[in-house]
């Protein structure tokens, strides 16, 4: 901010929400020097579920986790309604993003039903759902000092408690955090992905060749799906932009 006000910067990009809508941009000095513009930065914040964890390998559980967090309310309260809800990892305004994909709406009852269907409910009355003698505890990793991750995971923790899931938050310095992720030593982790524009190759994040347990890759979740592989490989070979976009749309829907 000071560099901007000292005329050392022409553009200050990726301003924190609390500054963008707060007092920082209301001062006479700021108004004399600059003006603010809302733009799409092309970053996706996401939580990666480790599919090598048996409780997360069940798609009903993952759907329940999606239903159990009110993403619209989070955007309203934490980002003043300015953030966009992304349902995929393609650039939101690019040809590969499938806008027909509808997000899982906040529905605690549906979440509880899905968890119970998967065998998770509170058998011993301790307030935490359990299965085969194991309480449903999620240990979610985050980079130490990342306030955005910290706020989000605290909100996630509060929300999941309502369906009987206990969330433990573990903060690590970046190097240690990365080692845990690459070793697949986590239940979940909170990350961000910077999207190339206008289109990107999804192999890095989604192909099964990057999902083997002993491979240290960006496919942290261990996503391995035959249809996903087929669509990625088809999209990589398709030179017609419209046909390729149609393939990416199918891929987007399948992964979500």
């Amino acid at each position: 901010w000071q560099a901007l006000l000292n005329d050392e910067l022409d553009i200050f990009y990726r301003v924190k929400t609390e500054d963008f809508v707060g007092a920082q941009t209301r001062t006479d000095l700021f108004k004399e020097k600059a003006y603010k513009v809302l733009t799409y930065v092309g970053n996706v914040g996401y939580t990666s579920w480790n599919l090598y964890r048996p409780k997360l390998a069940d798609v009903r559980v993952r759907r329940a986790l999606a239903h159990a967090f009110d993403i619209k309310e989070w955007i309203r309260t934490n980002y003043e309604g300015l953030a966009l809800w992304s349902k995929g990892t393609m650039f939101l305004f690019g040809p590969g993003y499938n806008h027909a994909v509808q997000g899982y709406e906040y529905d605690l009852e549906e979440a509880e039903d899905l968890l119970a269907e998967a065998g998770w409910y509170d058998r011993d009355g301790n307030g935490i759902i359990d299965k085969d003698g194991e309480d449903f505890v999620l240990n979610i990793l985050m980079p130490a000092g990342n306030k955005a991750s910290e706020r989000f995971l605290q909100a996630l923790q509060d929300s999941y408690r309502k369906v009987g899931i206990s969330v433990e938050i573990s903060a690590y310095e970046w190097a240690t955090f990365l080692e845990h992720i690459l070793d697949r030593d986590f239940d979940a982790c909170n990350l961000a992905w910077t999207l190339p524009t206008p289109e990107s190759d999804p192999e890095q994040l989604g192909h099964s060749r990057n999902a083997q347990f002993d491979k240290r890759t960006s496919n942290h979740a261990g996503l391995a799906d035959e249809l996903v592989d087929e669509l990625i490989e088809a999209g990589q070979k398709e030179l017609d932009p419209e046909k390729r976009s149609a393939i990416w749309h199918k891929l987007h829907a399948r992964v979500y």
Side-chain angles (χ1 to χ4, degrees), residues 110-246:
E110 178 67 14
E112 289 175 342
D113 288 346
L114 284 165
L115 289 167
E117 185 181 322
W120 291 98
Y121 55 92
D122 187 7
R123 293 168 172 84
D124 55 15
N126 68 346
I128 302 175
I129 58 176
D130 58 87
K131 180 180 179 182
D132 299 330
E134 175 194 0
D135 282 344
F136 199 120
V137 179
L138 280 175
N139 185 260
I140 307 185
L141 310 188
M142 59 162 279
N146 188 314
K147 293 300 181 183
S149 286
E150 183 179 352
R151 287 195 299 267
F152 172 73
L153 292 182
Q154 287 172 348
L156 203 69
Q157 187 179 52
D158 291 341
S159 193
Y160 283 179
R161 189 181 294 119
K162 297 173 185 175
V163 293
I165 294 174
S166 175
V167 171
E168 299 172 348
I169 302 170
S170 297
Y172 293 101
E173 292 302 323
W174 180 255
T176 305
F177 172 75
L178 195 58
E179 285 299 304
H180 277 282
I181 293 173
L182 293 175
D183 289 339
R184 305 188 193 277
D185 180 23
F186 65 95
D187 290 332
C189 56
N190 188 244
L191 293 158
W193 193 256
T194 300
L195 301 170
T197 57
E199 185 180 0
S200 59
D201 184 345
E203 178 171 330
Q204 185 178 356
L205 286 175
H207 200 286
S208 66
R209 67 170 58 99
N210 295 319
Q212 289 91 334
F213 188 83
D214 58 350
K215 273 202 168 183
R216 295 159 67 85
T217 73
S218 297
N219 186 349
H220 309 123
L223 171 62
D225 181 81
E226 287 185 11
L227 180 55
V228 166
D229 287 355
E230 290 173 10
L231 290 168
I232 289 174
E233 291 166 14
Q236 289 171 329
K237 297 171 185 174
E238 181 55 67
L239 299 183
D240 183 280
E242 289 189 11
K243 292 179 181 178
R244 188 171 63 252
S245 292

